[in-house]
């Protein structure tokens, strides 16, 4: 293709960011997926396991593999949900809280460097564009199928 499409720019940029995060996570003996999961778990009250997948936009099978690995590494522990006897809350261990801080520092550093290289107006426009694209996708306004009676 002679011109770069919007989806190509989104995909290529996200893949570059994901590679960068994975490279950084390697230095902590971790992965981007584990870091993202650590940041998605409420550090004070824990998070219901059923809420994590949708919160992270991840399939249940992928998430359960990550959670199993995190539990084996001592980052999380599963506890019964006192509000729902059938449910489980995912809580961070002390080690998990430590690694969560590392993950948060990495994300904040990324944001700081980007903000130092982009004007406030550009960043505002970026977020507006991302919000519009997300809304178009979520509201299914991209591929509209007409139904006939």
């Amino acid at each position: 293709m002679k011109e770069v499409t919007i989806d190509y720019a989104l995909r290529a940029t996200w893949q570059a960011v994901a590679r960068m995060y994975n490279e950084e996570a390697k230095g902590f003996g971790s992965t981007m997926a584990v870091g993202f999961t650590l940041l998605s778990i409420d550090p004070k009250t824990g998070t219901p396991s059923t809420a994590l997948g949708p919160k992270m936009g991840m399939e249940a099978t992928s998430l359960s593999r990550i959670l199993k690995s995190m539990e084996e590494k001592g980052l999380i522990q599963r506890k019964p949900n006192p509000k729902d006897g059938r449910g489980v809350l995912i809580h961070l261990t002390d080690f998990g809280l430590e690694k969560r801080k590392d993950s948060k520092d990495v994300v904040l550093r990324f944001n700081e460097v980007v903000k130092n290289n982009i004007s406030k107006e550009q960043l505002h426009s970026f977020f507006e564009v991302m919000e519009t694209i997300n809304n178009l996708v979520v509201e299914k306004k991209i591929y509209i199928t007409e139904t006939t009676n």
Side-chain angles (χ1 to χ4, degrees):
M1 290 173 64
K2 287 186 178 182
E3 63 187 60
V4 173
T5 60
I6 294 164
D7 76 306
Y8 176 85
L10 284 169
R11 197 170 357 103
T13 302
W14 175 245
Q15 287 173 347
V17 170
R19 274 192 306 276
M20 174 201 66
Y21 276 146
N22 269 317
E23 198 59 38
E24 195 62 28
K26 234 190 267 180
F28 293 96
S30 190
T31 65
M32 181 189 77
V34 169
F36 185 37
T37 306
L38 289 168
L39 293 171
S40 299
I41 298 170
D42 187 300
K44 291 182 174 63
T45 61
T47 301
S49 57
T50 53
L52 262 181
K55 183 177 184 179
M56 296 173 62
M58 190 178 277
E59 294 295 322
T61 51
S62 300
L63 182 60
S64 25
R65 275 194 304 272
I66 292 169
L67 292 176
K68 185 176 190 285
S69 158
M70 291 174 72
E71 196 168 25
E72 289 168 357
K73 291 176 183 169
L75 296 165
I76 61 165
Q77 55 186 341
R78 300 170 199 248
K79 295 181 181 177
N81 187 340
K83 295 178 182 171
D84 175 5
R86 299 164 297 158
V88 173
L89 288 176
I90 306 296
H91 285 272
L92 297 172
T93 62
D94 288 342
F95 182 52
L97 286 167
E98 206 177 292
K99 291 299 179 183
R100 183 182 194 279
K101 185 191 176 314
D102 292 340
S103 297
K104 187 174 179 179
D105 290 345
V106 167
V107 170
L108 291 176
R109 174 75 178 139
F110 170 78
N111 277 271
E112 177 188 331
V113 171
V114 170
K115 285 179 179 181
N116 287 338
N117 286 276
I118 296 177
S119 72
K120 285 183 181 183
E121 294 78 20
Q122 288 174 307
L123 199 54
H124 180 76
S125 294
F126 169 79
F127 281 117
E128 280 183 333
V129 170
M130 292 294 103
E131 183 179 2
T132 300
I133 291 171
N134 193 45
N135 287 338
L136 289 169
V137 171
V138 168
E139 295 168 12
K140 299 184 187 307
K141 292 184 176 178
I142 305 286
Y143 302 108
I144 302 168
T145 57
E146 293 183 32
T147 55
T148 55
N149 292 336

